[in-house]
Amino acid sequence: MVGTGHTDSSAFDVVLVPLDVTYKVVFVPTSPHIGPQLARLRRRRALTQDELAASAVVSVDVVRRLEQGKRTSARLSTLDSLARALGCTTADLLALDQKEGASGGGPRVEEIRHALTTPEVLGLIEPVEEEPVCLEELRGQMQRVWALYQDGFYAQVALRLPEVLAQARLLGRESVGDEQVEAEGLLATAYQAAAGVTITLGHPDLSFLAVERALNAARFSGSELHHASAVNFLSWVYRRSGRLSDAEHVATRAAEAIEPPWSGASSSHLAVFGSLLVNAAGAAARTKHVNRCRDLTSIARSAAERVGSDHVDRWAVFGPGVVAMTAVNDAVELDDLDTARRFIDQVPTVEGVPSSWRARYLLNVALTHTRHRNYQQAIEALAEAHRVASEWARYHPQSRVTAQILLERGYGRKAPNLVDIAQHDA
């Protein structure tokens, strides 16, 4: 399959074809407030339009037209360059409200929906000539999006994903050989991020569509790690959708297919294998299959010992700390809170694990302490979860459940933010 020229597929053979200037998805629609915001930030830095353009290495006409509201789209690389020159984030430049962007039905989700379902993506319009970004630039864009996704900054991910998806498709279509293979792999990763954001924000149908396309892109990349990673996302989407038997089945089958030798395997290979087992164990825990959950976790723990330290890349998040944290999560799912409390004491100091992973564990720590009536420790763990991954934690249902329990126990005065957490409608 490698080098076939295929760039995307689900039920159809699909290609990316920009429709018109408005919907060229290599450009990002800007906020209606960007003109005044850009001018305000530029003046705060005491820069003229020419000086800002020179510092950002963009055309002064772009700056002028954005400030005047005559331009309604821009490349993300252009917005990033302007933000760096202004000493702010791209979100600041776009006046992006993280709370609004994190909401389930928000416009950023609609932009992902558009990127996944436009007629041009389904191959209904012939491709037009478009200059793709270089592989190095695409790799950098995907690395940034993936880090934002893993840390739970979903509004930022949704902002950036449409362009990354478009450029990955385009580069896969226009390139050959190893460059095409890597572009397909990057496309698979981008689709996995889309699946992760949409299932978290309550859009399972979009998530299944995205993960199906991730599987197809992974197949055409020819990489077993990309394919196994995409299956891992499928397993997680099944779990979030309540299809626990399917979640466990696809994860264990994929783990069997890529089981590495216990000596000489790469960290990435071991990490994907172990991550599949962790996902399968989580599904077994939710169906109350205690022994199967423990067996799967035991094998994952052995793989983690081989990896040596927590490993994070675009294929998996895995290692001793991850296994220890997810063992706590699974004990909570099994309603075995005595075991959960014992496991909490065994979790090592975790460094380098993405914020959303740590926050998920901290929510289970908070719930465990709440059930054991260690209310102050529960409040501290809940607060820490919201500190390390505030956007992610805001709409996780367990966060609200724990906050509501603590409020019922009369801890609202000691922790005023509990009311906001308990009332948040994800």
Side-chain angles (χ1 to χ4, degrees), residues 95-420:
L96 178 62
D97 186 325
Q98 293 290 332
K99 292 184 179 179
E100 291 180 5
S103 63
R108 300 304 177 187
V109 175
E110 291 309 309
E111 288 173 17
I112 295 179
R113 185 190 303 277
H114 179 84
L116 293 173
T117 62
T118 52
E120 53 267 39
V121 158
L122 297 176
L124 301 178
I125 303 173
E126 288 298 318
V128 297
E129 293 297 325
E130 184 70 51
E131 185 68 25
V133 299
C134 67
L135 182 59
E136 183 178 359
E137 182 178 343
L138 179 62
R139 194 185 297 127
Q141 288 182 15
M142 190 62 250
Q143 184 177 9
R144 180 180 302 172
V145 167
W146 194 243
L148 288 166
Y149 167 71
Q150 292 289 0
D151 283 330
F153 293 110
Y154 296 151
Q156 281 285 329
V157 174
L159 170 71
R160 295 173 179 276
L161 258 180
E163 181 178 1
V164 174
L165 285 167
Q167 289 291 352
R169 293 190 196 103
L170 182 59
L171 188 60
R173 186 175 69 236
E174 297 295 328
S175 58
V176 295
D178 291 343
E179 187 173 273
Q180 183 188 54
V181 168
E182 184 168 356
E184 295 286 359
L186 291 168
L187 179 60
T189 303
Y191 274 132
Q192 287 171 209
V197 170
T198 51
I199 193 64
T200 300
L201 299 183
H203 299 269
D205 291 345
L206 283 181
S207 187
F208 276 112
L209 175 60
V211 81
E212 180 189 14
R213 296 205 176 150
L215 285 163
N216 283 318
R219 289 190 189 99
F220 284 93
S221 78
S223 165
E224 67 173 358
L225 292 187
H226 272 304
H227 187 261
S229 179
V231 172
N232 203 28
F233 261 73
L234 175 61
S235 174
W236 184 59
V237 170
Y238 277 143
R239 279 178 64 187
R240 290 295 299 262
S241 302
R243 296 172 60 175
L244 303 176
S245 177
D246 288 335
E248 184 181 344
H249 178 71
V250 298
T252 52
R253 284 284 301 273
E256 290 169 1
I258 68 157
E259 183 173 1
W262 286 103
S263 60
S266 68
S267 294
S268 293
H269 195 157
L270 286 164
V272 173
F273 171 72
S275 186
L276 284 161
L277 294 175
V278 164
N279 228 344
R286 288 190 61 184
T287 54
K288 311 306 179 187
H289 287 103
V290 179
N291 291 334
R292 196 151 68 235
C293 175
R294 289 174 178 170
D295 289 345
L296 290 165
T297 301
S298 178
I299 302 171
R301 188 173 289 110
S302 297
E305 290 172 357
R306 291 282 182 177
V307 173
S309 60
D310 289 297
H311 177 93
V312 181
D313 60 22
R314 58 177 164 159
W315 295 291
V317 177
F318 183 73
V322 170
V323 173
M325 289 190 298
T326 54
V328 173
N329 299 346
D330 292 344
V332 171
E333 292 282 5
L334 290 164
D335 295 321
D336 188 354
L337 296 179
D338 288 334
T339 297
R341 185 165 62 175
R342 188 174 75 252
F343 282 173
I344 288 170
D345 295 333
Q346 298 173 7
V347 174
T349 300
V350 177
E351 296 181 359
V353 173
S355 299
S356 63
W357 288 70
R358 289 189 289 137
R360 181 71 183 92
Y361 160 69
L362 286 165
L363 290 186
N364 280 309
V365 172
L367 183 59
T368 300
H369 285 311
T370 299
R371 295 286 174 79
H372 282 101
R373 301 185 179 182
N374 301 322
Y375 298 127
Q376 187 56 45
Q377 289 173 285
I379 290 171
E380 291 171 0
L382 187 59
E384 181 68 3
H386 280 259
R387 187 191 68 79
V388 301
S390 59
E391 184 181 342
W392 178 91
R394 271 199 299 268
Y395 43 76
H396 196 286
Q398 190 168 306
S399 179
R400 300 194 301 280
V401 168
T402 304
Q404 288 165 355
I405 295 172
L406 291 168
L407 285 171
E408 291 170 2
R409 300 297 187 272
Y411 280 82
R413 290 185 179 180
K414 293 185 178 181
N417 64 326
L418 287 177
V419 175
D420 292 335

Side-chain angles (χ1 to χ4, degrees), residues 42 45-58 60 63 82 85-86:
R42 175 177 59 78
R45 300 280 292 185
L47 296 171
T48 65
Q49 290 180 337
D50 290 286
E51 289 169 339
L52 173 58
S55 179
V57 195
V58 301
V60 68
V63 175
L82 288 168
L86 291 166

